[in-house]
Amino acid sequence: MVNNVPSARRLNGTGPTNNQQQDDDGLLPAIDATPKGYTIDVRVFLAIITTAMALAFTAGVMIGPTNPALVNPVLSLLGVPLPVYDAPNTSIKSITASKKGDPASNINAPARKTAEGTVASIVGVDPPSTSKKAKEVLVSADGEVIDNDEVVIKQPKRTRTEHVATLGYKIKETHVNIDTPVLEGTGENLPYERDITYNNINRTESANGEEQPMLRDQSNPSGQHLLVDIKNVEAAFLNSESRLADAMQASVKAGGLTMLSYHCHSLHPAGVSCVGVLLESHISFHTWPDEGVITLDLFTTSEKPLLPVLPKIEELFGIARVNAETGEKEEIVTLWSHELRGFRTEDARKAHYLDGESDLANWVTSPLEVVYKKQIITMQTEFQRIDIWDTLERDDTPSYEDGLRLGLKAGDPRWLSNEHASPSRHLFLDGTLQTIKDAEQEYHESLTHPAMFAHPSPKTVGIIGGGEGGALREVLKHKTVEKATMIELDGKVVEVSREYMASLNNCTDIVGSAPCCFDDSRTNLIIADAFQYFLNKQIKGEFDVLIVDAKDPEEHEEYTNPNVIDALVASLTSNGVMAVQIGMAPSILDPRADKGVNRKRELLINNLEANPNIASIHIYEEAHCGFWEPRSFLVACRDVSCRKHWYAETDEIDYQIYERIGGTNSGAPSLVHFDGATQRSFHMPPRAWENIYCHREPQPFECAYRGLDLDKDLYEYFPDNEEGSAFEIRPTKTEDGNDGAAVYAKVDVPEGSYVMPTHLAASFEVSDDSMENIRGDPTKELEGVGKATVIEDFIDFIDTHGHSSLQVGSGKNFVEIGGSFLMRMSDDANEANVRRWIPTHPDGGRPKYSPVYDRHRHSFDVFMVASRDIKAGEEIVKPLALWG
């Protein structure tokens, strides 16, 4: 205890310092308690921390998107009048801006830049007159407090947050709209009175005092909408309210519209937003000067077309900017879209060439992704509207020809850019797409050559429609053709095609032809209504091939008239062939054809079926014609012999192309799409045609045989597996005593079961032409060469075990080579116990038109089933007339 007292005293400052030496009494060493460095009183430290936190919180309130109630204390310190709140944490009720002499004026959005003399006050709160600091100042839309045009408190716009202490991300301070227009005005020299009551909207007086319909008709709830986006525009132009307003008024005038008033707002830090109120509706736009972009919106309830004003809009607003690096003006880029808006009567909608269902609208005028649109020509003729457009889509890439032209190599990035792709040209008639230049060869070759090669040697050919000349060009490629008569309704289509679609009627490369197909000596061009021409002329047996290259059947009432169809068929020779393009391919989901959208197409087929001079009808599709859906075609023949050519093998067609068409002047291939393999793909129509055909009522007989019956079993013969085989081969003696063989059942075979389907499916096919060549005995002209007994035996085998196809006229024969050819044949119907899978058609033969027979013809020609229950041990016997 004695030692602790001095130590304590030293700590209290009463004892010796650390510099004193330890005394002789053994006291503890002295401790130096003098502070080293600066000393801060803890109370001062806490006060500083608290003040800093308060200031930080205040700063957060000032610049953050917090509730105005938290901002009010700070505003109060600055003398700013406070708003009235309905409840805590609610927003300002209202803010009004009043001009001198007009206290009633109301501005909904406070301005960053206001007109001279404009002040802001808070509704319901009088400025505190007793406060020396209190005064009225401007409070802008983004929370800035402005005094004498000087920003006193600046609050950057930030995103709102869930928690008051969380700072939102700062919003980029560009294109913030201001409070009042910096430029506005009204239209001058209005052509119409502003009275648009019902009695006045539809009539006006002409110079002679007669009432005339007005261009505007606001009694119909319909209109047109034009969207225009322009890039690479001069920044100074895009930032000038007056220049933009002038361009806007000039655009309205060019469109024949009426400007009532317009309002333009400057934007911060750059840009302009304008709207013009039209008698017909409105025009508006927004600019981005730094990016060189303007987006414009023009809507009108007038029926006057808007598309003609588009070039003027591009001219007025497309002021090209100068590239800072090259010093040259940049190319103006324009994207635009046109839509019909509102509601129209059904007749008015269908009659409008830019209706939402028209090809012209869907392919060109409506989609913004079509980045290049150029109208080559538009013309209204006596019969129809003609439009030709060049287009380029956003995802288009260079073609093979583009690559050759530009010398593009592998890996060149230009392959992936549409900037180096050539536009595609489209021909529209009354808004319906007729021809796509880049895919027209696939279309016209698929329309023309199947019918041409279905005839053995076409000399005279008729063409209905096809005014652009594509079908004529393909016909003239055939050396056998002596005369090609083309009957086109509208001579203007021919004229326009000569100039703007010249590649379609270019016969320069055809040996012996003229540069233009219309000028070929074999061409006979007639300008007339083709259907009336055939009805009136009653042409008989003139054309070996007739090609109908008209609009889709749904646009031709003539296809529903049996007299028209009969007149077309009568113009064919005895083995003549007619080809018709019949529109968009169907879907497997389509309803009955006579009840759906393709009713007229079904009537066309029905009329051909009903014509006694038509023997065979075939349907096929081609998916490479450039349209969004595959196109479908029909070939009708006067004689069943055309099936032989229709079902010709690939090599036969290729040989015919070589013989009949030959080469070209340039050495390029004569055909770019059609060949033997293409024709083979046309043999069987797609499944959708079969489905639609089988929706007919009553359902056609053959529709019950569209596939093997899964409820029936297959009974096979396996020569190498006796235990697994349902049949066995037993040796027998023939009637003349020779050794033979017979087939017996080893198990019970129920009626309708399939007998030896694998063996029958292996039957080989041989044509009539091949049989004729074999029977001709090619060795008989050679001296010293004996008879070819092997060939004679082969012919005997075919005669015994072969049969003709059920497709009469196809020239096909099927020869059984499996165990089935060992079955005994009998002319006793009661003894026979098998039959062919599909029974004889109730009408006695296959129908003229049947996608079912076309699709399953091979199966119908080979498969057999048990005609009754066959017991084990019973011999299998075929009827002598098994195959007809």
Side-chain angles (χ1 to χ4, degrees):
M1 294 299 294
V2 175
N3 293 333
N4 291 338
V5 174
S7 173
R9 285 199 302 270
R10 284 194 291 271
L11 292 173
N12 289 332
T14 58
T17 65
N18 287 341
N19 295 328
Q20 294 177 311
Q21 300 295 324
Q22 184 176 358
D23 58 22
D24 296 336
D25 297 331
L27 296 176
L28 293 173
I31 300 175
D32 185 2
T34 302
K36 296 180 180 180
Y38 297 100
T39 60
I40 299 177
D41 191 301
V42 66
R43 290 167 294 182
V44 176
F45 173 75
L46 293 175
I48 293 173
I49 293 299
T50 302
T51 302
M53 292 176 63
L55 291 174
F57 179 78
T58 302
V61 169
M62 294 301 296
I63 65 175
T66 56
N67 194 290
L70 299 177
V71 185
N72 288 345
V74 180
L75 298 178
S76 179
L77 291 174
L78 298 170
V80 178
L82 302 179
V84 175
Y85 299 100
D86 294 330
N89 298 326
T90 58
S91 59
I92 298 175
K93 295 183 69 174
S94 66
I95 297 178
T96 64
S98 60
K99 295 183 179 180
K100 292 180 179 179
D102 186 15
S105 299
N106 184 283
I107 304 292
N108 292 325
R112 179 185 300 276
K113 177 182 177 183
T114 60
E116 182 180 357
T118 301
V119 296
S121 62
I122 310 301
V123 176
V125 177
D126 295 328
S129 59
T130 59
S131 172
K132 294 182 180 180
K133 297 181 180 179
K135 58 182 177 180
E136 287 188 318
V137 296
L138 293 176
V139 181
S140 70
D142 46 359
E144 294 179 352
V145 177
I146 305 173
D147 183 16
N148 294 328
D149 291 333
E150 179 183 354
V151 177
V152 180
I153 299 177
K154 180 168 181 161
Q155 290 184 292
K157 298 284 287 185
R158 293 182 179 274
T159 57
R160 185 170 292 278
T161 58
E162 296 292 334
H163 196 278
V164 68
T166 303
L167 186 64
Y169 293 103
K170 186 182 290 187
I171 299 174
K172 186 179 180 181
E173 293 185 78
T174 58
H175 300 98
V176 180
N177 205 350
I178 68 168
D179 180 31
T180 56
V182 297
L183 186 66
E184 58 185 359
T186 59
E188 298 178 357
N189 301 321
L190 299 180
Y192 306 120
E193 293 293 333
R194 296 195 184 191
D195 180 6
I196 55 172
T197 57
Y198 181 78
N199 290 332
N200 294 320
I201 60 177
N202 293 317
R203 290 184 294 275
T204 186
E205 285 190 1
S206 61
N208 58 10
E210 297 180 358
E211 288 189 346
Q212 299 292 334
M214 296 175 69
L215 292 175
R216 59 189 181 90
D217 184 358
Q218 292 161 307
S219 63
N220 291 325
S222 61
Q224 301 174 74
H225 204 166
L226 182 63
L227 304 176
V228 185
D229 302 339
I230 307 177
K231 182 182 177 183
N232 297 335
V233 182
E234 179 187 89
F237 172 73
L238 295 180
N239 212 31
S240 171
E241 299 91 344
S242 60
R243 293 174 66 186
L244 289 166
D246 289 344
M248 175 172 62
Q249 294 183 80
S251 297
V252 171
K253 182 177 180 181
L257 305 173
T258 307
M259 175 77 79
L260 298 180
S261 65
Y262 63 88
H263 314 269
C264 292
H265 291 246
S266 291
L267 308 176
H268 174 75
V272 176
S273 185
C274 291
V275 61
V277 180
L278 307 182
L279 182 63
E280 297 82 5
S281 190
H282 72 269
I283 180 174
S284 61
F285 58 80
H286 192 92
T287 72
W288 289 262
D290 291 342
E291 293 83 357
V293 172
I294 179 172
T295 59
L296 184 144
D297 171 9
L298 174 57
F299 178 78
T300 171
T301 58
S302 171
E303 289 300 317
K304 190 170 185 178
L306 272 185
L307 284 183
V309 77
L310 181 62
K312 192 65 176 179
I313 291 177
E314 292 182 282
E315 174 190 338
L316 292 169
F317 288 94
I319 309 300
R321 66 182 177 184
V322 177
N323 188 291
E325 296 180 359
T326 64
E328 298 179 354
K329 289 187 177 181
E330 297 184 6
E331 181 181 357
I332 290 293
V333 176
T334 304
L335 302 178
W336 60 270
S337 172
H338 178 280
E339 294 281 358
L340 294 186
R341 296 283 303 278
F343 302 91
R344 290 172 170 79
T345 63
E346 184 72 8
D347 292 340
R349 186 185 62 77
K350 288 183 176 180
H352 204 295
Y353 73 102
L354 290 179
D355 175 67
E357 294 185 4
S358 79
D359 291 336
L360 181 53
N362 290 323
W363 283 74
V364 180
T365 62
S366 179
L368 277 171
E369 59 268 21
V370 180
V371 296
Y372 177 82
K373 309 175 186 180
K374 182 178 181 182
Q375 189 176 56
I376 304 303
I377 187 174
T378 181
M379 175 188 299
Q380 181 66 50
T381 73
E382 179 185 356
F383 305 100
Q384 58 201 338
R385 179 188 176 92
I386 304 173
D387 290 281
I388 297 179
W389 288 79
D390 282 352
T391 66
L392 191 65
E393 296 192 18
R394 194 186 308 275
D395 56 355
D396 282 344
T397 54
S399 64
Y400 174 74
E401 288 75 14
D402 290 331
L404 293 178
R405 174 174 52 85
L406 298 172
L408 302 185
K409 304 297 182 183
D412 193 316
R414 290 178 292 176
W415 282 116
L416 306 178
S417 172
N418 65 9
E419 295 180 4
H420 306 285
S422 297
S424 179
R425 182 157 292 187
H426 302 70
L427 169 65
F428 300 88
L429 298 181
D430 284 335
T432 300
L433 180 59
Q434 298 298 306
T435 301
I436 305 171
K437 180 182 176 183
D438 289 349
E440 63 86 11
Q441 287 178 290
E442 290 94 322
Y443 170 83
H444 288 110
E445 289 184 12
S446 298
L447 166 66
T448 304
H449 297 299
M452 294 293 287
F453 284 107
H455 192 281
S457 180
K459 293 181 173 58
T460 56
V461 179
I463 302 172
I464 293 178
E468 73 279 356
L472 175 63
R473 179 196 63 211
E474 298 304 316
V475 166
L476 294 176
K477 290 179 181 179
H478 289 254
K479 299 175 184 177
T480 59
V481 173
E482 298 173 356
K483 183 180 181 181
T485 300
M486 193 177 92
I487 309 167
E488 166 61 42
L489 171 67
D490 195 344
K492 292 295 183 181
V493 174
V494 177
E495 293 179 14
V496 168
S497 297
R498 276 181 180 267
E499 184 172 357
Y500 300 105
M501 305 290 288
S503 62
L504 276 78
N505 47 75
N506 183 358
C507 283
T508 303
D509 216 18
I510 300 177
V511 177
S513 184
C516 179
C517 302
F518 296 124
D519 300 327
D520 190 291
S521 59
R522 296 170 291 175
T523 300
N524 177 30
L525 178 60
I526 300 174
I527 303 300
D529 182 330
F531 295 113
Q532 286 298 321
Y533 180 86
F534 278 86
L535 279 173
N536 298 335
K537 295 290 185 179
Q538 292 295 310
I539 303 170
K540 303 295 183 182
E542 181 174 331
F543 301 116
D544 293 321
V545 175
L546 179 62
I547 297 170
V548 183
D549 188 15
K551 295 180 182 179
D552 293 351
E554 301 314 307
E555 300 185 48
H556 279 296
E557 287 293 336
E558 291 85 353
Y559 288 135
T560 67
N561 185 345
N563 295 329
V564 172
I565 303 303
D566 291 346
L568 298 181
V569 174
S571 72
L572 297 174
T573 56
S574 60
N575 60 346
V577 179
M578 180 168 67
V580 187
Q581 84 85 14
I582 53 176
M584 180 181 65
S587 161
I588 59 173
L589 303 178
D590 284 359
R592 242 178 69 182
D594 60 342
K595 296 183 178 297
V597 296
N598 293 309
R599 182 184 65 87
K600 293 179 182 178
R601 178 166 67 190
E602 179 71 0
L603 289 174
L604 165 64
I605 296 174
N606 295 156
N607 288 332
L608 288 171
E609 290 176 288
N611 189 291
N613 293 318
I614 291 296
S616 183
I617 301 172
H618 304 274
I619 297 285
Y620 62 101
E621 292 180 6
E622 178 52 64
H624 300 90
C625 299
F627 297 87
W628 288 339
E629 306 89 3
R631 305 304 288 179
S632 51
F633 305 89
L634 175 150
V635 164
C637 308
R638 287 200 61 167
D639 191 86
V640 294
S641 62
C642 92
R643 289 177 181 160
K644 171 184 175 181
H645 306 287
W646 183 257
Y647 294 126
E649 295 298 326
T650 299
D651 56 340
E652 295 180 75
I653 297 296
D654 287 340
Y655 177 75
Q656 287 295 320
I657 292 174
Y658 171 81
E659 280 285 301
R660 193 183 294 182
I661 293 181
T664 61
N665 289 323
S666 67
S670 301
L671 305 178
V672 300
H673 179 69
F674 183 84
D675 59 11
T678 304
Q679 176 61 33
R680 187 175 181 85
S681 71
F682 295 159
H683 288 178
M684 293 181 290
R687 179 69 177 269
W689 287 99
E690 180 181 88
N691 287 4
I692 293 172
Y693 175 77
C694 290
H695 288 159
R696 288 182 172 185
E697 294 179 2
Q699 187 181 73
F701 163 79
E702 64 272 22
C703 291
Y705 299 90
R706 287 186 284 169
L708 299 183
D709 190 343
L710 299 180
D711 294 329
K712 303 296 183 180
D713 292 327
L714 309 178
Y715 290 84
E716 298 280 9
Y717 169 60
F718 303 114
D720 300 329
N721 183 7
E722 293 185 4
E723 293 185 2
S725 180
F727 304 98
E728 61 179 351
I729 307 298
R730 299 178 185 176
T732 60
K733 291 290 186 179
T734 61
E735 293 181 357
D736 55 6
N738 295 324
D739 293 334
V743 179
Y744 289 82
K746 293 177 61 179
V747 296
D748 291 345
V749 180
E751 181 181 356
S753 300
Y754 297 94
V755 177
M756 295 188 185
T758 301
H759 286 247
L760 290 166
S763 300
F764 72 85
E765 181 180 311
V766 59
S767 68
D768 288 344
D769 289 340
S770 296
M771 289 296 298
E772 184 178 351
N773 290 336
I774 295 173
R775 294 182 194 280
D777 189 3
T779 64
K780 66 181 181 181
E781 302 296 334
L782 302 177
E783 296 182 3
V785 178
K787 288 187 177 181
T789 57
V790 173
I791 293 179
E792 291 181 348
D793 292 343
F794 179 65
I795 293 174
D796 291 341
F797 184 86
I798 292 176
D799 289 340
T800 303
H801 303 291
H803 62 272
S804 298
S805 170
L806 297 179
Q807 315 297 318
V808 178
S810 66
K812 304 293 183 181
N813 301 278
F814 294 89
V815 183
E816 299 172 37
I817 57 174
S820 62
F821 83 85
L822 295 175
M823 296 177 184
R824 181 167 62 88
M825 303 188 72
S826 172
D827 57 0
D828 185 353
N830 294 324
E831 186 181 13
N833 50 20
V834 294
R835 62 171 176 81
R836 68 187 188 199
W837 171 38
I838 182 171
T840 302
H841 195 280
D843 293 339
R846 69 151 287 178
K848 301 175 182 180
Y849 168 65
S850 174
V852 179
Y853 272 96
D854 280 335
R855 288 177 53 81
H856 304 281
R857 58 191 178 89
H858 190 91
S859 299
F860 291 170
D861 279 330
V862 296
F863 286 143
M864 290 190 302
V865 296
S867 58
R868 57 177 174 81
D869 291 339
I870 301 174
K871 299 299 183 181
E874 186 176 349
E875 183 182 8
I876 308 301
V877 180
K878 295 188 293 186
L880 193 62
L882 174 65
W883 302 109

